[in-house]
Amino acid sequence: MKELFLNGLTTWLEEYSIWGIFITDTEFKVLFWNKWLEVNTRIRREKIINKNIFDEIPEIKKFENYFRQVLQGTSVILSQRLHKYLIPIEIKDKEYMYMQQTVQIFPLLEGNEVKGVITVIEDVTDRVKREENNKKQIRNLKILNDIQKSIFTLNREELLDKLFEGVVKISNAPYVYLFLIKEDNFLLKRSTRNVLDYSNNLENPSCILKRVVSERRTIYIPYTKETDIKCVNPSSNSVLAIPILGKEKVFGILVIEALERNAFKEEDILNLETIAMQSAIIFENIELLESLRESETRYRVLAEQSLTGVSLLQDEKFIYTNSRFIEILSYPSRLETLSDFTKYIYEEDKNRFMERYNQILENTFEYIIDEIRIRKINNEIAYLEISMVNVFYKGKKSILLSILDITYRKKLEEELKLLSITDALTDLYNRRGFMTLAEHTFSIANRLNKNIFIMFIDLDFMKEINDKYGHQMGDQALIDLANILRETFRQNDLLARVGGDEFVVMGIIGEENHKEVIIKRLLGKVDEFNSKRLRPYKISLSVGIAIYDPKDPVSLEDLLQKADELMYEQKRIKKEKLKG
C-alpha cells in the first residue's frame, strides 16, 4: 500500500502538479524534472537528468549559495519581490518579459542525512499583477478623493492644481496640458512642458481642441502619424484629449501626449474621464456659488436643492439652515444656536469640533474639513463629514457650515474590513466582492455612456470530475477555469466565482456584436488548455452573455438574471444533445 501511494504521488508530481519541481543530489545533478518544467522551460527530462543544474541553466548559478545552504539542512524561500525569478521563463505578457516566481528550496532527507535538494517553483505572475493593479487602483481612488474634497474649498486654483497633479500621476505621460475655455478662447493653465504651439492650427477643424469642444467627447488617437490631427506635439505618437464637461458647457480640456504608440489603456482612460467628470461638477458648484454670493435668493435655491446639509452661522446663531441639514439630524424641535447643534455631537468629538469652529472664526484656516459622530434625535449613530468656510453675510462675518451624512460609507468600510471579498480557492472575487464592485462599475459606465457585458459561466460535468477523480481534482478544475478567465479577459474586467461551479465576468464592451468575439476568445483559450492534456479531465463550459446599452437602461439585477437564463438555456440544450 505504501509503495502504491508513493508511486501515485510521484506520478502526480511528474504529470499534474501546478508547480515546477526538480530534485538534485548533493553534487547538484538533476534526479527529477517534472512536466510543468518541461512545458514552461522547453527542456526535456532526458536532456537534463543526471546533468549539473548550474551547467544546464547558467542563470541559476547566481543562487548557488542558497542551494549550498540547503545542503546544511536549512530551507530557503526566494520571494518574487526580491528575486523575480529563479529560471528566466519567457511569457507573452505586456508587463513582464519573464514569469514572476516564488521559490522554495529545502533538503531531501533520509533520516538525518541530506541526500539532495528539492526545489519548488510557483508561478505568481498573475498574483503580482493583481497586487500591483490593486495598488494602482488605491492610488487612483486617493487622487479622486483628494479632488472631491475641493468641493468644500470652492477654490478654483486649488482645484486646478489637484486636477493637474492627479492626471500626471495616473497617465505617467511626459506631456500633459490643462486648458480652460473662456469666451471661446483656450487658456493654457497648467503644463508639464511648455512646448505646445497650437495657435496656427486653432481654427483648423482637425485641431484636437476644437474637435473635443464641438463633439463634446473624449478623443483618443493611438497613432497620430496616421491621422491629420492638429494641435499636437510633432514628437508625440499618441494623444488623449478629455473634455471637462458640464451640463451646459465645456469648462476645459485635458490633453495628454505620449512618445510611444497605443500608450493609454482603457482602464486609465476611464480613470482620467472620472477625474474630469468630478472636476466638472466642482467647477459648476464654484460658478454657482460665485454667482449666488451676489444673490441671496439664488443661494437659497442651491442650498435647498443640495444633498448636503447647509447652514449659515453668525455670532453662534443659525441665520439659515436648509431642509437637508434638519433632515440629517432627524428633525430636531429646536435649532437656533450653535449649542443646539453641538449637544448632538459625541462627547469625544465635541471639543475638536469647537476647536475647528474657533480656528475658522479666527481666520487660522480658510476652510476646514473634518469628520464627527453625532447621535440623532431617534438615537441612531451617524457619521458626518463637516466643512466650514468664512463668508460675509449682510456685511458681517459668518460661517458657512455644511454637513454630509457618510454613515453608509463608514459602515461599508467596516464591513469590507471584516468580510473577505475574494474566493479562497480561486483567488477571484466572491459573490459579495462582485456585487460590491459591480454596482460601482455599472454606475460609472452608465454615466460615461459605455456598453457593458455580463457573462455567466458554468463549469460542465463538475459532478463527474469529482466522482471520477476526487474532490481535489474538482477543486483543481475550478482553479484551472479561473486561470483561463484571467488569461482571456482584461485586467480591469471584473472576474468572480459566485457559486460552486458558477463564474461571472463583467466588463466594458464596444458594440453588442463584439460579444461573439468575447465568447470565441474564451472557448479558444479552453481548447488551448485541453490540447495540452495537463489534466485527466477536459474543461467544458456553458456560457450566457447579456449586453447593457445606456440608451435602453435596465437594472444590474435584471442584466445578471438575463445572462444567467441564457447560460442555463445553453446547458439544457447540451444535455438534450447528450441524451439524443
Side-chain angles (χ1 to χ4, degrees):
M1 184 67 184
K2 182 178 179 182
E3 183 178 348
L4 180 63
F5 169 76
L6 291 174
N7 288 338
L9 177 61
T10 301
T11 300
W12 184 85
L13 292 174
E14 285 180 341
E15 301 294 328
Y16 303 120
S17 175
I18 59 174
W19 305 293
I21 301 173
F22 68 87
I23 301 173
T24 67
D25 61 14
T26 55
E27 299 298 323
F28 304 114
K29 290 183 179 179
V30 179
L31 305 176
F32 179 88
W33 187 264
N34 75 343
K35 189 170 184 176
W36 187 98
L37 286 167
E38 281 194 325
V39 170
N40 287 285
T41 66
R42 300 179 182 177
I43 301 175
R44 306 292 296 173
R45 293 175 192 165
E46 57 268 21
K47 296 292 185 181
I48 199 167
I49 293 296
N50 293 324
K51 303 287 181 62
N52 185 287
I53 189 68
F54 303 130
D55 292 340
E56 296 303 308
I57 308 178
E59 291 87 352
I60 301 183
K61 184 72 175 177
K62 63 182 178 182
F63 299 99
E64 182 177 356
N65 59 320
Y66 293 115
F67 284 84
R68 295 198 178 278
Q69 182 180 331
V70 171
L71 288 181
Q72 304 304 313
T74 60
S75 298
V76 170
I77 296 179
L78 303 179
S79 166
Q80 58 83 18
R81 288 183 175 84
L82 299 176
H83 302 278
K84 295 188 178 179
Y85 46 81
L86 178 74
I87 301 175
I89 298 172
E90 291 191 21
I91 55 176
K92 294 180 180 179
D93 193 287
K94 292 180 180 179
E95 298 180 43
Y96 297 106
M97 181 178 178
Y98 296 110
M99 176 192 293
Q100 307 293 286
Q101 302 163 9
T102 293
V103 180
Q104 299 177 59
I105 312 173
F106 48 92
L108 176 65
L109 297 172
E110 185 178 297
N112 293 324
E113 185 179 355
V114 178
K115 291 293 187 177
V117 176
I118 302 175
T119 304
V120 180
I121 302 173
E122 180 185 0
D123 178 3
V124 295
T125 308
D126 288 339
R127 186 194 307 166
V128 173
K129 288 168 66 175
R130 289 198 303 276
E131 288 175 357
E132 291 179 353
N133 189 53
N134 287 340
K135 289 177 183 177
K136 183 177 179 181
Q137 290 301 320
I138 290 170
R139 182 203 66 187
N140 292 348
L141 285 173
K142 286 180 178 177
I143 292 170
L144 276 172
N145 187 55
D146 197 33
I147 289 174
Q148 287 170 351
K149 288 181 179 179
S150 296
I151 196 169
F152 295 108
T153 69
L154 300 174
N155 183 298
R156 194 183 298 266
E157 291 302 314
E158 182 174 326
L159 171 60
L160 292 176
D161 287 340
K162 288 182 178 179
L163 170 60
F164 183 74
E165 181 183 348
V167 171
V168 170
K169 285 182 179 178
I170 289 177
S171 67
N172 197 30
Y175 304 117
V176 179
Y177 305 95
L178 170 57
F179 294 91
L180 289 187
I181 300 173
K182 189 173 182 179
E183 298 176 355
D184 295 328
N185 292 318
F186 295 95
L187 306 178
L188 181 59
K189 303 297 290 186
R190 303 286 189 277
S191 65
T192 50
R193 302 180 188 180
N194 193 16
V195 295
L196 178 61
D197 181 10
Y198 60 91
S199 55
N200 294 331
N201 293 311
L202 191 55
E203 297 306 318
N204 191 317
S206 296
C207 174
I208 197 165
L209 301 175
K210 297 288 285 187
R211 279 187 57 187
V212 168
V213 173
S214 63
E215 298 177 24
R216 293 174 63 86
R217 68 177 181 88
T218 296
I219 295 176
Y220 176 35
I221 311 294
Y223 184 42
T224 58
K225 303 301 188 291
E226 292 180 348
T227 70
D228 61 348
I229 200 75
K230 303 297 182 184
C231 304
V232 176
N233 284 325
S235 58
S236 299
N237 280 305
S238 56
V239 60
L240 175 67
I242 302 172
I244 304 171
L245 186 61
K247 291 180 181 178
E248 297 181 356
K249 69 175 186 178
V250 180
F251 288 98
I253 301 173
L254 290 164
V255 179
I256 307 141
E257 300 179 342
L259 300 177
E260 64 272 20
R261 302 184 188 185
N262 302 298
F264 303 105
K265 298 180 180 177
E266 191 169 351
E267 63 187 85
D268 293 327
I269 296 175
L270 187 60
N271 283 325
L272 292 166
E273 286 179 327
T274 304
I275 285 180
M277 178 184 66
Q278 187 66 44
S279 300
I281 294 171
I282 300 172
F283 271 120
E284 287 184 328
N285 284 339
I286 290 173
E287 288 201 348
L288 275 172
L289 188 58
E290 286 174 347
S291 62
L292 291 170
R293 279 171 178 163
E294 301 173 1
S295 169
E296 183 179 347
T297 302
R298 292 183 183 176
Y299 174 77
R300 286 181 181 274
V301 170
L302 173 65
E304 290 300 333
Q305 292 179 348
S306 175
L307 295 176
T308 303
V310 179
S311 64
L312 189 66
L313 284 153
Q314 200 173 76
D315 297 328
E316 295 195 0
K317 292 181 180 179
F318 283 97
I319 304 300
Y320 169 77
T321 55
N322 73 345
S323 57
R324 181 59 180 156
F325 196 102
I326 303 299
E327 183 183 341
I328 288 173
L329 297 178
S330 299
Y331 301 97
S333 57
R334 175 187 173 91
L335 193 64
E336 296 177 1
T337 66
L338 185 62
S339 60
D340 292 335
F341 173 71
T342 56
K343 70 181 181 183
Y344 299 110
I345 301 177
Y346 259 63
E347 283 299 320
E348 296 90 332
D349 297 343
K350 192 175 294 185
N351 288 338
R352 191 175 80 256
F353 172 82
M354 289 306 303
E355 181 182 356
R356 298 295 201 202
Y357 181 90
N358 290 325
Q359 286 172 339
I360 287 292
L361 204 61
E362 295 163 4
N363 288 325
T364 306
F365 301 104
E366 292 181 1
Y367 65 91
I368 279 175
I369 302 171
D370 206 344
E371 292 180 7
I372 62 170
R373 292 166 294 170
I374 65 166
R375 191 178 293 277
K376 296 184 176 184
I377 303 300
N378 57 11
N379 219 30
E380 288 182 359
I381 297 171
Y383 289 83
L384 303 184
E385 187 172 81
I386 62 167
S387 67
M388 288 183 275
V389 183
N390 257 322
V391 297
F392 276 85
Y393 176 69
K394 293 186 177 180
K396 193 172 181 181
K397 191 174 184 179
S398 307
I399 290 179
L400 184 66
L401 169 64
S402 301
I403 59 175
L404 182 66
D405 191 338
I406 58 171
T407 307
Y408 175 78
R409 189 182 81 193
K410 285 291 185 180
K411 287 182 178 179
L412 181 61
E413 288 173 356
E414 290 301 318
E415 286 182 17
L416 292 178
K417 289 178 183 177
L418 296 173
L419 299 172
S420 171
I421 62 172
T422 57
D423 173 51
L425 178 65
T426 63
D427 212 22
L428 302 180
Y429 289 112
N430 59 19
R431 180 177 291 274
R432 179 184 296 273
F434 175 81
M435 293 306 297
T436 300
L437 297 170
E439 287 287 354
H440 178 69
T441 303
F442 192 82
S443 176
I444 288 179
N446 198 28
R447 288 200 302 272
L448 297 176
N449 202 35
K450 302 283 188 179
N451 289 357
I452 297 171
F453 76 88
I454 287 185
M455 178 184 287
F456 252 96
I457 302 166
D458 185 87
L459 179 60
D460 298 329
F461 313 118
M462 185 65 189
K463 184 177 183 302
E464 287 82 350
I465 294 174
N466 281 328
D467 292 346
K468 188 173 183 180
Y469 302 108
H471 286 277
Q472 186 175 1
M473 272 296 170
D475 288 347
Q476 185 58 54
L478 294 170
I479 293 170
D480 289 337
L481 175 51
N483 290 332
I484 289 170
L485 295 180
R486 290 190 187 97
E487 292 175 9
T488 303
F489 296 96
R490 300 163 297 191
Q491 281 189 5
N492 55 317
D493 290 335
L494 195 55
L495 312 179
R497 179 189 174 206
V498 295
D501 54 2
E502 290 185 343
F503 295 75
V504 64
V505 181
M506 178 179 182
I508 292 173
I509 190 173
E511 301 293 339
E512 182 169 350
N513 58 12
H514 290 175
K515 67 182 181 182
E516 305 300 332
V517 177
I518 294 173
I519 295 174
K520 183 178 179 181
R521 186 168 67 227
L522 173 60
L523 298 180
K525 287 290 183 181
V526 171
D527 291 340
E528 181 181 336
F529 173 86
N530 290 333
S531 68
K532 293 179 181 178
R533 299 183 179 180
L534 300 175
R535 307 281 184 255
Y537 52 79
K538 287 187 175 181
I539 298 292
S540 174
L541 306 179
S542 293
V543 178
I545 186 168
I547 305 298
Y548 173 80
D549 185 348
K551 297 174 184 175
D552 186 21
V554 296
S555 68
L556 176 60
E557 289 74 18
D558 290 342
L559 201 64
L560 285 165
Q561 183 177 351
K562 182 179 179 182
D564 193 25
E565 289 170 354
L566 290 170
M567 181 269 288
Y568 273 105
E569 176 64 15
Q570 188 183 98
K571 199 169 189 69
R572 184 187 64 78
I573 293 171
K574 279 187 177 181
K575 286 183 179 179
E576 288 179 358
K577 285 184 178 179
L578 287 174
K579 288 180 182 178

